[in-house]
Amino acid sequence: MTRLGTSLLGTILLVTLLLGATGFLAGCGDNWNTPYPDSAKQANVVYSAFSERPKHLDPARSYSSNEVEFTGQIYEPPLQYHFLKRPYTLIPLTADAVPRPHFYDAAGTRLPDDAASERIATSVYEIRIRPGIRYQPHPAFARDEAGRYRYHALDEAALAGKTRLGDFAHTGTRELTAADYVYQIKRLAHPGLSSPVFGLMSEHIVGLRELGKTLEQAARDNPDAVLNLNDFPLAGAEVVDRYTYRIHIKGKYPQFIYWLAMPFFAPVPWEAETFYAQPGMADRNLTLDWQPVGTGPFYLAENDPNRRMVLKKNPYFHGETYPADGDAADRRAGLLADAGKPLPLVDAAVFSLEKETIPYWSKFMQGYYDSSGISSDSFDQAVQFSAGGDPQLTDSMRDKDIHLVTSVQASTWYVGFNMLDPVVGGLGEDRRKLRQALSIAFDYDEFISIFLNGRGIPAQGPLPPGLFGYVEGVAGLNPYVYENRDGQIRRRSIETARRLLAEAGYPNGRHAETGEPLVLYFDTMASGPDAKSRLDWMKKQLDKLGVQLVVRGTDYNRFQDKILKGNAQLFEWGWNADYPDPENFFFLLYGPNKKVGSGGENAANYDNPEFNRLFEQMKDMENGPERQQVIDAMLEIVRRDAPWIYAYYPKSFGLRHGWVHNVKPNLMANNTLKYRRVDPGQRARQREDWNHPVLWPIGLMLAALAVIVAPAVIAWRRRERTTA
């Protein structure tokens, strides 16, 4: 055969294949770009994503938001937050009631509930868990016919070929007991776990610090042995009976009740730790950090951090029902439609790895993710602001039945003054006025508009919305920075700031006596183009007063060191609530918590004796009018003293598709997946509508090939006839 003939046949074959493929694809009638080819269209599954592998899934170690997204669904501490109620309200989870502490003096005598804090030596919380709660299926619980644990004494040969829990042929379960909770509290002191809350909890739980020292010594004495925590008693955590345990707290610490809703105080069975502690397990990533064991509504069925993580319904879940007690707004939003239904409402949740925001956004818009945040790149496509400044979805979003979910986070951002600094620190009247002037000049209303796309609320003090003590509207404004103009909160004028600056001894930004310009130094970890624009903005704010700002960039470790030693002058920082109590924010300004000298979280080193006195009074009080009065007095002090420039409370914007239901931001709860409901049928229909295959490029390519092939075919046939 001639070379031409061979080439021609190849071209014809290519055209034939393309025609066949086109016909096949056209016959499929389905979207071809699905990232879930192995999932059924009608699967009752939530689809989401994660950007980096959770480092710790062990409840003694996990403390990051990307980790609690998983641990919150798997582990069950005794308490949880009500899904719908605001302010945030604690309710039982595995416990039969929210415990109230009993108080005792140094002699062990029971005190009345209204005893003064100074008389209380110990607070005792007695927690009774509900019988019948069982753990997820797991090889650690599997037993043989004789009742022995099948997988607690494995050698290397028995572990050969086992890289995941599914490789173990047998699983088991058992009932949750009070001892499991006590065992986990002991784990907070385990030297090999380095729990991030051990330091704090050892200040409150009786005997926990001593247990930590005992375990450290035991590990040094026998470094190759596995510590059996059942052999080490803890005075502050005792088992009363199969379903009851007690926790002993030093003095009075009302905020401890909130810790009982965190995974740190969720149960861990000793069998799981024994199973994972065997030689060779860690080499196979068979650890509690990778494969958690809990009693919650879901278990981690798949952990492939380079691809996806999958939660599936726990077949032994003890049962819980969707709450029926919400307010009128919840009812209007459809959040009570599932009242009384058994939880969880979905069978699984698939989390796919997405390191970049653009592909995540694209897949959300195609319907392959059920919900999404809004990056700066996509903000204008999704959200626009009304004339009154209210956020609303664009027409293109509404046309796709996408819904906007907003919430003010229980967080605060601030610019701190080092109160030990000779220029900006101190409690003298001139220093106060200097800080007040700078607070007015830093226009965070403008900052929120420019850099946050409106996703924030100007802060009026250290307390964010949603916490007891925060006052809405003009009644809660900071009078040293803002004023009430016709019922609206408005920042005080720059002329007011200039007057305060002059009264502080710096008219027009220069020292009244020497004439030298006022130069301030701002330490930051921020870097990159975005950071530069923000830092330039900060300089411009002080330019309005004639004050110079020098930015000192540094890495994280150096920054931390400067803050610890008090070598910074101005700095930017923030705080996320650990629990919904004003104490969790006011303690950031409590004198004994100063960063310098004590290493506490008071990075500004603020120390006002009257504020300290009120803090010590407020932290032990029950929420009510009397506590509110004390909080109001504390706010007046810190607003006047201005140890911080109160910047903003972050506001989160999220999107959900119309087939996703029961979405209400709960900034304290981390176990809300069980309330989520999806409509798989609607999702499948809209995915198909939004992902129709585009075939015209293939047709165009075939036409182009035909134009190219036709002359060759004609020439070949002419040649064949001539030869014949």
Side-chain angles (χ1 to χ4, degrees):
M1 183 179 291
T2 65
R3 184 175 302 171
L4 175 63
T6 303
S7 174
L8 179 62
L9 285 176
T11 304
I12 294 172
L13 179 60
L14 174 61
V15 172
T16 304
L17 289 173
L18 284 171
L19 287 169
T22 303
F24 171 76
L25 292 172
C28 289
D30 199 357
N31 46 304
W32 314 333
N33 58 338
T34 175
Y36 317 111
D38 56 343
S39 297
K41 289 184 184 179
Q42 302 294 328
N44 186 22
V45 174
V46 167
Y47 293 100
S48 188
F50 64 101
S51 59
E52 60 180 337
R53 181 186 78 83
K55 187 175 181 181
H56 298 298
L57 296 177
D58 183 334
R61 309 176 75 182
S62 174
Y63 207 7
S64 298
S65 57
N66 70 318
E67 297 166 354
V68 79
E69 188 171 11
F70 297 96
T71 59
Q73 325 311 325
I74 297 167
Y75 295 110
E76 290 190 304
L79 305 180
Q80 64 180 336
Y81 290 94
H82 194 286
F83 177 51
L84 300 176
K85 287 185 179 179
R86 303 294 183 273
Y88 299 110
T89 304
L90 285 173
I91 60 173
L93 181 50
T94 60
D96 63 2
V98 176
R100 295 187 60 86
H102 296 152
F103 304 126
Y104 298 85
D105 63 16
T109 303
R110 173 83 178 267
L111 298 172
D113 292 344
D114 59 353
S117 298
E118 57 270 17
R119 295 183 60 197
I120 299 172
T122 309
S123 303
V124 178
Y125 292 81
E126 183 169 291
I127 302 159
R128 180 170 177 80
I129 61 173
R130 291 182 286 113
I133 298 173
R134 305 188 73 79
Y135 283 99
Q136 68 180 69
H138 196 278
F141 302 120
R143 295 174 182 263
D144 60 19
E145 292 76 8
R148 297 183 297 265
Y149 289 102
R150 290 179 178 271
Y151 303 122
H152 281 203
L154 301 175
D155 55 23
E156 187 62 31
L159 275 176
K162 292 180 172 58
T163 59
R164 56 190 182 89
L165 293 183
D167 294 330
F168 294 88
H170 301 277
T171 62
T173 184
R174 73 160 171 83
E175 188 182 34
L176 173 69
T177 67
D180 298 330
Y181 284 95
V182 172
Y183 188 85
Q184 165 64 6
I185 296 172
K186 292 180 181 179
R187 294 183 76 244
L188 301 179
H190 195 299
L193 297 177
S194 300
S195 174
V197 300
F198 170 67
L200 176 63
M201 288 298 107
S202 64
E203 296 176 7
H204 296 291
I205 298 177
V206 173
L208 190 63
R209 189 185 305 278
E210 292 72 19
L211 175 61
K213 294 178 180 178
T214 300
L215 293 175
E216 281 185 5
Q217 186 61 50
R220 284 195 296 267
D221 292 343
N222 197 348
D224 296 327
V226 176
L227 292 176
N228 184 353
L229 296 182
N230 290 319
D231 296 336
F232 297 88
L234 173 59
E238 59 172 319
V239 176
V240 178
D241 57 40
R242 182 173 179 82
Y243 303 113
T244 311
Y245 66 105
R246 295 191 187 112
I247 302 176
H248 299 251
I249 300 298
K250 301 172 187 176
K252 186 177 183 181
Y253 180 41
Q255 291 74 29
F256 179 73
I257 194 73
Y258 297 113
W259 288 93
L260 295 178
M262 297 185 189
F264 293 114
F265 288 86
V268 168
W270 68 267
E271 294 95 331
E273 196 149 62
T274 299
F275 173 80
Y276 286 130
Q278 297 176 89
M281 286 287 189
D283 297 335
R284 294 167 167 80
N285 288 327
L286 294 174
T287 67
L288 209 57
D289 258 349
W290 279 68
Q291 301 292 341
V293 186
T295 62
F298 298 96
Y299 70 96
L300 188 60
E302 183 179 338
N303 186 1
D304 181 355
N306 296 317
R307 194 168 70 93
R308 69 179 191 173
M309 300 175 70
V310 179
L311 294 172
K312 289 187 177 180
K313 185 188 294 187
N314 178 4
Y316 297 125
F317 184 53
H318 52 83
E320 192 180 354
T321 57
Y322 190 95
D325 44 347
D327 58 24
D330 294 328
R331 188 172 300 279
R332 288 194 300 271
L335 289 166
L336 293 175
D338 294 308
K341 292 183 180 179
L343 300 177
L345 297 175
V346 297
D347 298 327
V350 175
F351 298 82
S352 302
L353 178 64
E354 289 287 0
K355 293 185 177 182
E356 304 294 337
T357 57
I358 293 177
Y360 187 109
W361 177 256
S362 298
K363 291 177 185 176
F364 169 74
M365 294 301 292
Q366 292 171 315
Y368 293 124
Y369 291 133
D370 294 329
S371 57
S372 173
I374 311 176
S375 67
S376 298
D377 295 334
S378 308
F379 193 85
D380 291 340
Q381 179 184 348
V383 177
Q384 59 189 9
F385 288 91
S386 67
D390 297 322
Q392 56 190 21
L393 287 172
T394 59
D395 292 340
S396 62
M397 295 291 110
R398 288 196 296 269
D399 290 344
K400 299 189 77 162
D401 192 24
I402 291 174
H403 299 255
L404 177 65
V405 182
T406 65
S407 65
V408 180
Q409 299 176 25
S411 308
T412 187
W413 279 93
Y414 64 90
V415 173
F417 297 102
N418 180 7
M419 297 296 285
L420 302 178
D421 183 81
V423 177
V424 300
L427 296 178
E429 187 64 21
D430 57 340
R431 301 303 90 185
R432 287 193 185 109
K433 290 185 176 181
L434 171 60
R435 294 190 295 270
Q436 291 169 11
L438 298 175
S439 297
I440 295 171
F442 276 94
D443 188 350
Y444 273 97
D445 304 73
E446 180 182 87
F447 180 94
I448 292 167
S449 175
I450 295 174
F451 298 105
L452 302 180
N453 298 110
R455 288 177 284 186
I457 295 177
Q460 305 297 326
L463 289 185
L467 272 69
F468 181 84
Y470 177 84
V471 179
E472 295 276 357
V474 295
L477 65 77
N478 177 357
Y480 298 94
V481 179
Y482 291 88
E483 58 185 344
N484 179 2
R485 297 183 201 159
D486 300 325
Q488 299 292 319
I489 299 175
R490 294 289 183 261
R491 184 173 293 270
R492 291 187 177 274
S493 67
I494 197 66
E495 287 74 21
T496 302
R498 292 190 182 112
R499 175 178 56 79
L500 288 169
L501 189 65
E503 293 174 2
Y506 295 97
N508 299 316
R510 292 183 175 272
H511 196 284
E513 297 179 0
T514 66
E516 294 182 356
L518 176 59
V519 180
L520 301 178
Y521 297 90
F522 179 76
D523 283 278
T524 179
M525 298 172 288
S527 61
D530 291 342
K532 183 181 183 305
S533 60
R534 291 197 301 271
L535 296 172
D536 288 343
W537 176 87
M538 297 185 75
K539 292 179 181 179
K540 290 178 182 177
Q541 304 310 296
L542 295 193
D543 286 345
K544 294 181 290 189
L545 299 179
V547 176
Q548 299 178 27
L549 184 68
V550 177
V551 175
R552 300 189 294 200
T554 184
D555 61 31
Y556 179 73
N557 291 333
R558 176 63 179 152
F559 178 82
Q560 291 277 61
D561 186 63
K562 294 180 78 169
I563 297 295
L564 184 63
K565 295 178 179 178
N567 292 333
Q569 191 177 55
L570 279 77
F571 58 92
E572 185 179 42
W573 226 331
W575 185 261
N576 297 319
D578 289 311
Y579 43 83
D581 190 272
E583 181 265 350
N584 193 229
F585 285 86
F586 279 131
F587 91 113
L588 300 171
L589 294 165
Y590 179 53
N593 285 342
K594 287 186 294 187
K595 184 69 71 173
V596 174
S598 68
E601 295 296 340
N602 181 353
N605 301 301
Y606 176 65
D607 194 357
N608 182 310
E610 178 61 12
F611 177 86
N612 295 343
R613 184 188 68 80
L614 291 172
F615 174 83
E616 291 166 0
Q617 177 185 351
M618 179 277 305
K619 69 183 181 67
D620 295 334
M621 297 176 72
E622 298 288 337
N623 288 342
E626 292 183 3
R627 196 183 198 203
Q628 184 67 59
Q629 289 181 356
V630 176
I631 289 172
D632 291 342
M634 297 172 71
L635 287 171
E636 166 59 24
I637 292 172
V638 296
R639 286 167 173 166
R640 182 197 66 211
D641 287 349
W644 295 353
I645 296 174
Y646 305 104
Y648 62 92
Y649 311 123
K651 192 173 184 179
S652 65
F653 281 35
L655 302 172
R656 67 173 176 87
H657 285 293
W659 60 73
V660 183
H661 304 278
N662 301 336
V663 177
K664 182 176 183 177
N666 190 315
L667 304 175
M668 292 295 116
N670 49 48
N671 62 342
T672 57
L673 178 61
K674 61 188 175 184
Y675 305 110
R676 193 68 48 85
R677 175 169 59 85
V678 296
D679 184 338
Q682 180 184 349
R683 177 169 59 194
R685 289 190 298 272
Q686 294 196 242
R687 279 182 180 176
E688 192 160 347
D689 288 343
W690 297 340
N691 295 278
H692 281 305
V694 180
L695 300 179
W696 67 262
I698 298 177
L700 186 62
M701 182 167 49
L702 290 174
L705 281 172
V707 171
I708 295 171
V709 170
V713 172
I714 293 170
W716 178 71
R717 293 188 63 184
R718 185 180 296 120
R719 180 187 179 93
E720 289 295 308
R721 290 194 193 100
T722 302
T723 303

